[in-house]
Amino acid sequence: MKNNPKIIIRDDPDLLAKEAAKLFSEAALKSISMKGIFTVAVSGGTTPRHMHSLLAKEPHISKIPWDKTHIFWVDERCVSYAHTHSNYGAAEEDLISKIPIPDANVHPMPVEPLPETGSDKYQDTLIEFFELKQGMLPRFDLIVLGIGTDGHTASLFPGQRALDEKEKLVVSVKGGNPDVSRLTMTLPVLNNAMEVLFLVSGEQKADTLKTILENEHALFPAQRVQAVNGTLKWLIDREAASKLPSRCNF
Ligand code: 6PG
C-alpha cells in the first residue's frame, strides 16, 4: 500500500471492539482539545456495532464531549431507519439513543424515494456543515470503515462507476448484501480524512485482507482508501489476520 498503514491485531472480536472504542475516544479527545470539535463518519454492517455499544458505556460515555461531537454516515442502505438493514437505525439503537448528543450533531444520510435526491441532499449537508467552497473536500477527523469479502468498502463495490467519482462527495449506487440502492461517500472524501480506521473481523475476511495489504495490483475498492493526508489504521482480529505473515502479528 502507498501510505504505510498501521496494523493492530487483537485476539478476538470483543478485544477488537474495545480497542476500536478506545481509538474513537482518543481521536475525539484529541480533535476537541485541538479545535473544539470532533467530526466522525461511521460505517454500517455488523463489525462496528460492538464498538458503538461500548462507546455508549463507561469509561467512554462520560469521557467523550458528545456536545462537541458530530456523527455522519459513510454510507446508507435506502431503507427506512426502522428497517433492520438501516445503518443509521443500527447506530441509533446501539449508540445514538444512549448518549447525550444533541440532535443537531447527528447527521444521518437521508432516505428518499429517489436515491439521487438523497445523495445530492447529503452532499449539500456536507458542503454546508464544513463550509466548503467549490472544489473543496470535507476533512473528517475520523472515518471508520469496514470491508467485504469482495474487497468493497463503504458502498463502493468492485467494478462500479462510483469508484472513479472525482467531483461528487456522495453518490447513489446499487449493490452489495443486501442488494439495495445505497448512498455512499466517495473516495476523494474518504481519502481526505485526518484518520481512517478499518475494522475487520472474522476468518471469512482473511484472504481478502491478505490481498488488500500485500498485493497492490489487486485494486480492490478498499485499497484505494489511502488517507493520503492522514493516518491509516487497520484494526483486525486474530481470525481475520490469520493469513498475514507472522511479522504482522503484534
Ligand atoms: C455497509 C457498509 C459496508 C460494511 C462492510 C463490512 O453498509 O454495508 O458500510 O462497507 O462496512 O460490508 O460489513 P460487516 O461489518 O457486516 O462485515
Side-chain angles (χ1 to χ4, degrees):
M1 302 199 95
K2 285 168 218 123
N3 178 351
N4 262 349
K6 179 166 187 199
I7 298 174
I8 307 164
I9 300 176
R10 289 295 172 262
D11 277 340
D12 57 46
D14 287 348
L15 291 173
L16 179 143
K18 204 171 160 199
E19 182 68 24
K22 182 173 151 259
L23 293 173
F24 183 113
S25 230
E26 285 171 0
L29 293 175
K30 186 172 158 205
S31 299
I32 292 166
S33 75
M34 280 166 55
K35 55 195 174 80
I37 187 172
F38 173 55
T39 55
V40 58
V42 297
S43 287
T46 51
T47 316
R49 295 200 66 165
H50 194 175
M51 173 189 79
H52 290 163
S53 307
L54 293 179
L55 288 169
K57 294 189 187 124
E58 297 300 353
H60 305 298
I61 186 165
S62 47
K63 207 160 71 179
I64 296 174
W66 295 106
D67 59 332
K68 298 186 173 69
T69 297
H70 283 260
I71 303 182
F72 294 78
W73 272 260
V74 163
D75 68 336
E76 184 56 276
R77 295 94 178 261
C78 297
V79 295
S80 82
Y81 292 151
H83 196 286
T84 49
H85 289 151
S86 167
N87 288 345
Y88 170 74
E92 220 275 327
E93 187 182 323
D94 301 333
L95 176 66
I96 309 293
S97 62
K98 302 192 168 128
I99 54 174
I101 189 165
D103 288 350
N105 292 18
V106 181
H107 310 268
M109 288 184 153
V111 177
E112 299 281 334
L114 272 182
E116 302 74 38
T117 312
S119 54
D120 286 351
K121 279 192 180 171
Y122 206 60
Q123 170 161 295
D124 289 345
T125 300
L126 296 180
I127 290 172
E128 196 181 317
F129 181 86
F130 287 94
E131 299 177 356
L132 303 178
K133 302 214 170 60
Q134 181 73 28
M136 282 169 68
L137 293 166
R139 185 151 168 77
F140 283 95
D141 297 308
L142 176 66
I143 294 186
V144 184
L145 294 173
I147 61 164
T149 51
D150 60 355
H152 80 258
T153 191
S155 285
L156 296 165
F157 297 100
Q160 293 199 348
R161 259 197 344 223
L163 282 168
D164 298 317
E165 181 60 52
K166 304 241 175 348
E167 311 274 314
K168 291 189 175 172
L169 310 179
V170 185
V171 293
S172 61
V173 298
K174 172 129 185 353
N177 180 16
D179 185 2
V180 290
S181 295
R182 293 156 176 258
L183 309 183
T184 184
M185 288 184 183
T186 56
L187 284 169
V189 176
L190 304 183
N191 274 320
N192 199 44
M194 295 276 291
E195 181 175 338
V196 172
L197 174 64
F198 277 98
L199 305 181
V200 192
S201 170
E203 195 269 328
Q204 73 282 8
K205 305 260 176 86
D207 284 319
T208 310
L209 186 65
K210 180 180 168 60
T211 306
I212 289 172
L213 293 176
E214 293 188 345
N215 177 0
E216 63 183 63
H217 302 294
L219 295 181
F220 280 147
Q223 287 175 293
R224 297 174 63 173
V225 180
Q226 293 287 334
V228 275
N229 302 312
T231 56
L232 179 59
K233 290 181 187 157
W234 286 82
L235 176 53
I236 304 165
D237 70 9
R238 191 67 64 189
E239 284 196 352
S242 58
K243 302 274 170 71
L244 300 180
S246 52
R247 68 181 157 73
C248 284
N249 284 337
F250 54 89

